[in-house]
Structures are given as structure tokens and as C-alpha cells.
Amino acid sequence: MRAPLGAVLDGIAAPSAAEERVPLASAASRAGVPESVPHVIAWNLTRRCNLACAHCYISAGSWHTEEGELSTEECFRIADEILSISPAPMFILSGGEPLVREDLETIVRHATEGGATVVVGTNGIGLTKVRIESLMDAGVRGVAVSVDSLDSGYHDRFRHGQAALKDTLAAVERLRKARLDFVVQTTLTRGNRGEIPRLAEWAAGAGAVCFNVYFLVATGRGVRMRGLEPEQNEEVLAELARLQREYRGTLMIRSKCQPQIMRHVYDTDPSSPLLNYGTRCPCGVQYCRITPEGKLTPCPYLPVVAGDLRRQPFAEVWRESAVFARIREDELGGKCGRCEYRLICGGCRARAFADTGDYMGPDESCAYEPPSSLAQAIRPRALTYGSAPARELQWSRAAEERLSRVPSFVRGVVMGRVEAYARRVGETRITPELMERVRRDMPVDFSKRIPFFLRDRS
């Protein structure tokens, strides 16, 4: 068994190491950003969906057919190509609605047997007890479900589905009973802005391991919607920064497509695990998206095509695409490029593209005004998600085996935290018994269900 979703999201516990300010001569150096490895792949398996959500970045719906979708065999080949250069990635299989694919479990099983951690993103309506058991049997480690409001009128209208909220909440209860980790996803709009604290409280009570708040990007059907004003975004980010501190140890809370939360967290909560991200916009650096037709893009919300996986090997596109090279090497434009938070935030590249046509341009959804000239950059923590493991202590073979279950992008953080604990208690060798002590010393709610990779499963 590989690490469950919660362990992947948080990487055990929050360290206390402080960041530092360092000069940055050029963004081309990408100082502090880990090597470009495809640790997380968002994979849209289909455009078919039983709903037609107002904001859908892929414009999914029931009118789409399976024509043009990657076949099972093509999915196998692409998964194997990814695994050849990233032996322990996370695959996020979504759609449209991925549950409509009859070969979903077949694809999951192939990927997990190859070494991937697989999670599924769904609206939850098709998550029957039988389907949850089938997904778990195939190797799924977690599920992300969308809940945009606890008001059925709002949620059902936004998702364009009668009784959609009722069915999704029933699925959440089934996930809880099955003890399958799940994440709650909410798209922030003017209509549900005031409901975020209530949704966080509900998600924690329902047993979610994470609450993700997505800020609108004008792509797909989202072009017809209007996001919040920059000053309103600031208010919500400040609220999320407070909530992620309040629920620590029980529920991880993050913003999505609004990396400006990193500035709020850096200034108010230096021990936050959110600061383990080298940047809050890893698209094209550690993260990418595969479309149903096999096109590779930097992220689901940035539709610029870097390559065609039906015609090119994954490694060729990942390593040689001009799109990825520009994201990794070029300087950010406008105020994002001169901002002191550019290494731990950097703005949303998808929103910059949606608003300006340039994915290296400024993210104007941000109300913060940096200095008028290039400022010293705040460097991310030395130990961030995606950083390579660096052993300083001796690890037993059994401890190494447990560590190998951890997905690659969080492994370095896990190793660093386990070794820091060992030094703190005067141990010089990492064993399964010590890893169990790390688990026991964590906050009680967090330790009950999340870091299974630290446990003895004999």
C-alpha cells in the first residue's frame, strides 16, 4: 500500500525553519525552485460529463462522445513514459467526469502497479458504494469532490444538475465510511464568497483531508464569468490564511490558482506547511496536464499546447518544449517580475494568459503593489515539495522501503522531517520503530488516518 492522500498533501508536519531574503539577479536561474520533474500530472481522461458546470475549464458536458479520447492502450503507454522519468509521480485522473470511462479502474491499476499514486477528481454523483470499492481495489488513494455551497439551490444551479448537492453529500458520507481519503474542492464566486468559513467547518467535520478553494480563471466556460476584484481576493486570502492555521492538524486548507496566499502565510504564519511549496504555481516545472486527446499543457487552466503525446514521447515534450522552457527560464513580466514574493508566489500563469495573452505576464488579480524596481526575493525553504531527498542519517532497509511508498514530490520533505525528529531525540539511525514514533507524536486527529506509510502493516 502506498501513502494515502493526506500524507501526500501535508508531508507529515510543519517544520519551523525560517525563510530568508536573498538577491535575485535573474529569474532565469529559478533559484530555490526544485529541478523540473513531472511530479504531479493532471489527466483529463474525457470531456464527457453528467453535469455542465458554469466555470468548467474544459467545457465538459453530456453532449460530448468518446470519439478522439486516448484509448486504454494509449493511456498505458503515456503512463509508462511518465514513470520512466518520474518513478513515483501522482496522477490526478479527472474529466469531464472520469467515472464515465469504463476502463478507469484498468488505467488506475496499471499506473499504481508502475509506481504512481493515483487520485480521482469527480463531481461525486456516480460514487456508489460499489464504485468506491472498485476504485479502492484498483489502487486509488484518494478522491476529490466538488462542493460549491451547502445551499442546494446555489450548488445545483452552479453545477447545472438537479439534486446534485444531495447526491454529492451522500457520496462524501460513503467515502468516509469506506475510509478513503477525500478532498473538498470549492470554486470561489461572488455568490458563495461569504460561505467559505462554513464550508471549511463542514469539510473538517465530514472527514476531508484538505479543502481547496479555487479562484476563477477565465478559460473554457469560465470566460463568461467574472471573478472577484483584487481587493476582494485579498480579503478571502487573508481569511484562508487564518483558516489554514486554525485547522492545522485536522484539515489542510489551500487556495488554487491564487498563489498570493503565500504572501499572507509568509507574513503571518511562518510555521505553515504551505511554505513547503517552492512556488504556488508549479505548472510546467513540477506539474502539467494531459488533455483527453493527448495534448500536453502546463496546467488545466493554461491551454497553451506544449506537445502532442500521440506523436511525441512524453520525455521529449517535457524536456524540449519551448513552452515549458519559457516558463522555467524566462523572467516574469510586470509587477510579478519585480515582486519580492516572486519565488514563493509568482502569480498565476494561467490567469496572466487569460487576461493578457502572455503566460509570463503579470497576474492583475493581485492587489499587492511591490517596489517600483527589482526587489530582493524571498527564498523558499531549503526543504520544499519536489526537492531531492538528502540523507544525513543511516536508514534501515525496512525504513527505506516505507519511504519508497511516498510519492516523489513529497519524499524529500518527509525524509527531512523524519531525520530532524531523530536528531531531536538523539537517534542516529532511522528505523520503522522511529517512524512510528514520529507518527505518534503528531497531533492526534492528524495521526489517526494520514501517514500510513509510517505504520507497521505486517
Side-chain angles (χ1 to χ4, degrees), residues 97-157:
E97 176 48 63
L99 298 183
V100 304
R101 282 199 62 144
E102 296 179 357
D103 61 353
L104 177 61
E105 282 85 347
T106 304
I107 295 168
V108 170
R109 185 169 285 106
H110 182 88
T112 56
E113 289 176 352
T117 294
V118 179
V119 300
V120 172
T122 171
N123 57 46
I125 292 174
L127 282 175
T128 63
K129 182 175 182 291
V130 171
R131 195 66 191 269
I132 291 171
E133 291 171 350
S134 176
L135 291 170
M136 293 177 72
D137 181 65
V140 168
R141 296 266 68 84
V143 172
V145 293
S146 298
V147 178
D148 297 297
S149 174
L150 296 176
D151 174 357
S152 60
Y154 178 93
H155 178 93
D156 294 356
R157 205 164 47 245

Side-chain angles (χ1 to χ4, degrees), residues 6-168:
V8 170
L9 293 172
D10 199 85
I12 303 181
S16 58
E19 289 75 8
E20 59 179 333
R21 293 176 184 263
V22 296
L24 181 71
S26 169
S29 65
R30 300 291 293 177
V33 177
E35 178 188 359
S36 298
V37 176
H39 292 297
V40 182
I41 293 87
W43 197 332
N44 298 127
L45 290 173
T46 182
R47 295 180 190 274
R48 291 175 283 158
C49 189
N50 53 321
L51 299 178
C53 304
H55 69 300
C56 183
Y57 64 81
I58 202 170
S59 298
S62 60
W63 54 89
H64 290 290
T65 69
E66 60 188 288
E67 183 179 357
E69 293 176 0
L70 294 170
S71 67
T72 307
E73 292 71 24
E74 287 176 309
C75 290
F76 285 177
R77 174 183 57 78
I78 293 170
D80 291 344
E81 290 176 358
I82 296 169
L83 288 161
S84 71
I85 63 172
S86 181
M90 173 181 278
F91 289 169
I92 304 170
L93 304 183
S94 65
E97 176 48 63
L99 298 183
V100 304
R101 282 199 62 144
E102 296 179 357
D103 61 353
L104 177 61
E105 282 85 347
T106 304
I107 295 168
V108 170
R109 185 169 285 106
H110 182 88
T112 56
E113 289 176 352
T117 294
V118 179
V119 300
V120 172
T122 171
N123 57 46
I125 292 174
L127 282 175
T128 63
K129 182 175 182 291
V130 171
R131 195 66 191 269
I132 291 171
E133 291 171 350
S134 176
L135 291 170
M136 293 177 72
D137 181 65
V140 168
R141 296 266 68 84
V143 172
V145 293
S146 298
V147 178
D148 297 297
S149 174
L150 296 176
D151 174 357
S152 60
Y154 178 93
H155 178 93
D156 294 356
R157 205 164 47 245
F158 187 75
R159 295 277 162 182
H160 290 186
Q162 187 174 5
L165 179 63
K166 177 183 176 182
D167 292 341
T168 299

